[in-house]
Amino acid sequence: MRLDKLLANSGYGTRSEIKDILRAGRVRLHEDVLSDPAFHITDEQARFLTLDGIPVTSSRYLYFCLNKPDNYLTAMSDDRLPCVGDLLPRALQSKKISPVGRLDYHTTGVLLLTNDGELSHRLTSPKWHQKKVYLVTYTGESLTDKEVALFAKGMTLMEAGHAPEKLKPAELTLLSDQQCRLTLTEGKTHQVKRMMAFVGRPVIALHRESIGTLTLRDGQKPGEMYPLTPDEIASLKENTDM
Ligand code: URA
């Protein structure tokens, strides 16, 4: 197959974008730069193709689990602030990958990045009840049993200037005087902080431990990203009836 066709079929951009990538000398077969779009590549050779040093993958869908660091926007690009898209290798930036849901600027932890729109939709839509588990550090008195029950029953947020908003039941486990684990099955904007503010406990640190069946790997540091294994992908899909 022609090199430009193979790269286009694999989602690295349009034919003309690929021409630019090739002209810039970013594609190699072993050590040799390939710059001719018409170069004929065999299936065997395709296994050794790299773009910016990263193996070219023909998979249409890609899945990465990032441990989102503090002080990063959940966006693919931004003129002013660091964002999670900056952490994705440049070679993959044309694969139309985006974050699944949104974590606040200071929230850390599990963030899935993918170009699988259907899975992304199912993980974030309340229809599939996917659990999002947060480790919450807050200030003020320890939460009382009565307040914990309010989360379990499904609280109605009443915020100044907003209509009352009924939330789904959420599971809250106390871990220490100022720390709890909160499991949600929906993802409204700033939901954890708003729920905690409603019971008078401002959040001072927020970390997402999991979304659906996806968790961080042991020792995965903030800013580190790993490609999901076929089993991890299958498990996320199975859990969302895909
Ligand atoms: N809820 C919040 O308030 N912030 C997040 O980043 C995620 C959930």
Side-chain angles (χ1 to χ4, degrees):
M1 189 188 287
R2 275 174 64 112
L3 180 59
D4 57 354
K5 188 163 181 216
L6 182 138
L7 291 170
N9 288 355
S10 308
Y12 286 93
T14 60
R15 286 277 184 108
S16 88
E17 285 164 345
I18 282 158
K19 221 177 193 175
D20 292 340
I21 290 176
L22 291 169
R23 202 177 294 134
R26 294 169 58 193
V27 176
R28 285 173 191 257
L29 178 57
H30 299 290
E31 289 307 304
D32 304 327
V33 170
L34 299 184
S35 54
D36 177 7
F39 183 89
H40 184 88
I41 194 131
T42 64
D43 286 350
E44 174 61 16
Q45 286 171 323
R47 295 173 42 223
F48 301 101
L49 266 187
T50 56
L51 171 57
D52 296 339
I54 293 175
V56 163
T57 162
S58 60
S59 323
R60 179 153 179 320
Y61 295 123
L62 296 172
Y63 307 82
F64 296 94
C65 176
L66 170 69
N67 183 354
K68 180 193 168 293
D70 189 3
N71 293 311
Y72 269 76
L73 276 184
T74 303
M76 291 313 285
S77 65
D78 189 78
D79 293 340
R80 289 180 316 121
L81 295 169
C83 57
V84 298
D86 302 339
L87 300 168
L88 203 66
R90 184 161 164 244
L92 298 175
Q93 286 178 358
S94 54
K95 287 260 190 182
K96 309 228 179 324
I97 292 166
S98 54
V100 175
R102 188 177 289 266
L103 292 179
D104 293 338
Y105 191 65
H106 291 298
T107 303
T108 58
V110 176
L111 185 66
L112 175 66
L113 295 138
T114 183
N115 52 4
D116 182 339
E118 184 57 32
L119 179 65
S120 180
H121 167 67
R122 290 179 184 229
L123 287 171
T124 47
S125 161
K127 198 167 152 196
W128 278 276
H129 316 285
Q130 291 301 291
K131 289 186 177 174
K132 286 120 195 157
V133 181
Y134 294 91
L135 186 63
V136 188
T137 311
Y138 58 92
T139 55
E141 304 274 295
S142 184
L143 287 161
T144 63
D145 289 348
K146 215 166 145 193
E147 286 164 332
V148 173
L150 198 62
F151 283 80
K153 171 168 128 277
M155 63 172 64
T156 301
L157 286 180
M158 281 175 289
E159 296 163 315
H162 293 271
E165 195 168 356
K166 175 86 179 119
L167 301 180
K168 292 195 186 307
E171 193 184 317
L172 191 150
T173 313
L174 294 176
L175 300 176
S176 67
D177 280 352
Q178 247 122 55
Q179 217 170 41
C180 63
R181 179 167 285 121
L182 184 59
T183 304
L184 306 182
T185 54
E186 56 189 346
K188 297 189 187 290
T189 311
H190 308 310
Q191 185 166 348
V192 174
K193 289 177 188 158
R194 289 163 64 207
M195 293 171 97
M196 296 300 287
F198 188 66
V199 291
R201 309 296 197 290
V203 169
I204 52 172
L206 189 56
H207 176 81
R208 184 156 66 188
E209 295 183 320
S210 62
I211 169 164
T213 54
L214 186 66
T215 57
L216 296 178
R217 295 241 165 108
D218 279 350
Q220 188 182 347
K221 298 194 183 68
E224 284 181 359
M225 173 152 26
Y226 70 83
L228 268 60
T229 62
D231 279 354
E232 286 169 324
I233 298 166
S235 158
L236 284 172
K237 288 188 175 177
E238 203 176 299
N239 224 31
T240 50
D241 309 322
M242 270 177 88

